[in-house]
Amino acid sequence: FFFSSRRRHTRCSGVSWARRCVQETGYQRRVHGVITNQVMSQVDGTALFAGDAKKPIGGNIMAHASTTRLYLRKGRGESRICKIYDSPSLPESEATYAIGKGGIQDFND
Protein backbone atom coordinates (compact mmCIF):
# COMPACT_ATOMS: atom_id res chain seq x y z
CA PHE A 1 0.00 0.00 0.00
CA PHE A 2 2.74 2.44 0.93
CA PHE A 3 4.59 2.01 -2.38
CA SER A 4 1.42 2.40 -4.45
CA SER A 5 0.31 5.62 -2.72
CA ARG A 6 3.85 7.01 -2.95
CA ARG A 7 3.99 6.29 -6.69
CA ARG A 8 0.58 7.93 -7.21
CA HIS A 9 1.78 11.03 -5.32
CA THR A 10 4.86 11.25 -7.56
CA ARG A 11 2.74 10.97 -10.73
CA CYS A 12 0.26 13.57 -9.50
CA SER A 13 2.98 15.99 -8.51
CA GLY A 14 4.59 15.55 -11.94
CA VAL A 15 1.31 16.31 -13.71
CA SER A 16 0.73 19.30 -11.44
CA TRP A 17 4.25 20.61 -12.12
CA ALA A 18 3.78 20.34 -15.90
CA ARG A 19 0.41 22.09 -15.67
CA ARG A 20 1.92 24.96 -13.66
CA CYS A 21 4.77 25.34 -16.18
CA VAL A 22 2.31 25.63 -19.07
CA GLN A 23 0.16 28.16 -17.19
CA GLU A 24 3.09 30.30 -16.05
CA THR A 25 4.59 30.37 -19.53
CA GLY A 26 1.23 31.41 -20.93
CA TYR A 27 0.83 34.24 -18.43
CA GLN A 28 4.38 35.52 -18.86
CA ARG A 29 4.47 35.43 -22.66
CA ARG A 30 0.77 36.07 -23.31
CA VAL A 31 0.21 32.85 -25.26
CA HIS A 32 -2.35 30.08 -24.96
CA GLY A 33 -1.29 26.70 -23.65
CA VAL A 34 -2.79 23.37 -24.60
CA ILE A 35 -2.81 20.41 -22.25
CA THR A 36 -4.08 17.10 -23.61
CA ASN A 37 -5.63 14.21 -21.77
CA GLN A 38 -6.61 10.72 -22.86
CA VAL A 39 -9.89 8.97 -22.20
CA MET A 40 -10.57 5.32 -21.53
CA SER A 41 -13.69 3.20 -21.75
CA GLN A 42 -15.56 2.79 -18.51
CA VAL A 43 -16.59 -0.87 -18.35
CA ASP A 44 -18.27 -1.04 -14.95
CA GLY A 45 -22.05 -1.08 -14.47
CA THR A 46 -22.42 2.71 -14.20
CA ALA A 47 -21.52 3.13 -17.89
CA LEU A 48 -24.92 1.78 -18.88
CA PHE A 49 -26.71 4.69 -17.20
CA ALA A 50 -24.27 7.49 -17.95
CA GLY A 51 -24.71 7.82 -21.73
CA ASP A 52 -21.03 8.35 -22.60
CA ALA A 53 -18.87 5.45 -21.46
CA LYS A 54 -15.58 7.35 -21.68
CA LYS A 55 -13.71 8.62 -18.64
CA PRO A 56 -10.74 11.05 -18.59
CA ILE A 57 -7.53 9.50 -17.26
CA GLY A 58 -5.97 12.69 -15.82
CA GLY A 59 -8.51 12.94 -13.00
CA ASN A 60 -9.20 16.02 -10.89
CA ILE A 61 -5.76 17.56 -11.42
CA MET A 62 -6.37 17.89 -15.16
CA ALA A 63 -10.01 18.89 -14.68
CA HIS A 64 -9.20 21.77 -12.34
CA ALA A 65 -6.28 22.94 -14.49
CA SER A 66 -8.49 23.49 -17.53
CA THR A 67 -10.43 26.64 -18.32
CA THR A 68 -12.15 25.28 -21.44
CA ARG A 69 -12.49 21.57 -22.16
CA LEU A 70 -12.80 20.25 -25.70
CA TYR A 71 -13.72 16.70 -26.68
CA LEU A 72 -12.26 15.72 -30.07
CA ARG A 73 -13.50 12.66 -31.92
CA LYS A 74 -13.54 11.16 -35.39
CA GLY A 75 -16.72 11.64 -37.41
CA ARG A 76 -17.84 9.90 -40.59
CA GLY A 77 -15.30 9.61 -43.38
CA GLU A 78 -12.66 12.32 -43.12
CA SER A 79 -14.63 14.55 -40.75
CA ARG A 80 -13.67 15.31 -37.16
CA ILE A 81 -15.91 16.73 -34.44
CA CYS A 82 -14.87 19.16 -31.70
CA LYS A 83 -17.32 19.54 -28.82
CA ILE A 84 -17.04 22.28 -26.21
CA TYR A 85 -18.40 20.71 -23.05
CA ASP A 86 -17.05 22.80 -20.20
CA SER A 87 -16.27 26.49 -20.55
CA PRO A 88 -17.01 29.56 -18.43
CA SER A 89 -17.40 31.82 -21.47
CA LEU A 90 -18.61 29.60 -24.34
CA PRO A 91 -21.90 27.68 -24.68
CA GLU A 92 -21.83 23.93 -25.18
CA SER A 93 -21.68 23.31 -28.94
CA GLU A 94 -20.09 21.20 -31.68
CA ALA A 95 -18.10 22.05 -34.81
CA THR A 96 -17.19 19.77 -37.69
CA TYR A 97 -13.82 20.12 -39.38
CA ALA A 98 -11.36 18.18 -41.54
CA ILE A 99 -7.60 17.84 -41.54
CA GLY A 100 -6.18 18.32 -45.03
CA LYS A 101 -2.91 19.14 -46.75
CA GLY A 102 -3.23 22.80 -45.73
CA GLY A 103 -4.01 22.04 -42.09
CA ILE A 104 -7.38 22.33 -40.35
CA GLN A 105 -10.22 23.18 -42.77
CA ASP A 106 -14.00 23.49 -42.76
CA PHE A 107 -15.61 20.15 -43.55
CA ASN A 108 -17.72 20.08 -46.69
CA ASP A 109 -19.94 17.05 -47.40
Side-chain angles (χ1 to χ4, degrees):
F1 173 76
F2 174 74
F3 180 72
S4 134
S5 66
R6 184 175 171 187
R7 190 169 66 191
R8 182 175 56 237
H9 173 70
T10 303
R11 182 183 65 85
C12 290
S13 63
V15 170
S16 183
W17 176 82
R19 174 193 56 83
R20 277 194 312 272
C21 285
V22 169
Q23 285 181 328
E24 288 296 318
T25 302
Y27 290 143
Q28 291 171 357
R29 299 178 189 241
R30 295 182 177 215
V31 296
H32 294 282
V34 177
I35 300 173
T36 61
N37 192 8
Q38 293 178 327
V39 294
M40 67 179 188
S41 295
Q42 187 173 350
V43 294
D44 59 356
T46 60
L48 296 172
F49 306 107
D52 190 12
K54 292 183 178 58
K55 178 179 172 183
I57 293 175
N60 288 332
I61 293 172
M62 295 294 284
H64 293 299
S66 306
T67 303
T68 299
R69 293 190 224 173
L70 305 174
Y71 182 62
L72 306 173
R73 67 180 191 272
K74 188 168 178 8
R76 293 183 183 168
E78 296 298 315
S79 71
R80 305 287 192 267
I81 301 168
C82 176
K83 179 179 181 182
I84 299 172
Y85 74 94
D86 187 16
S87 176
S89 58
L90 299 170
E92 188 170 307
S93 62
E94 288 187 354
T96 305
Y97 65 97
I99 301 174
K101 291 181 182 178
I104 298 174
Q105 307 166 359
D106 288 336
F107 179 73
N108 299 321
D109 287 331

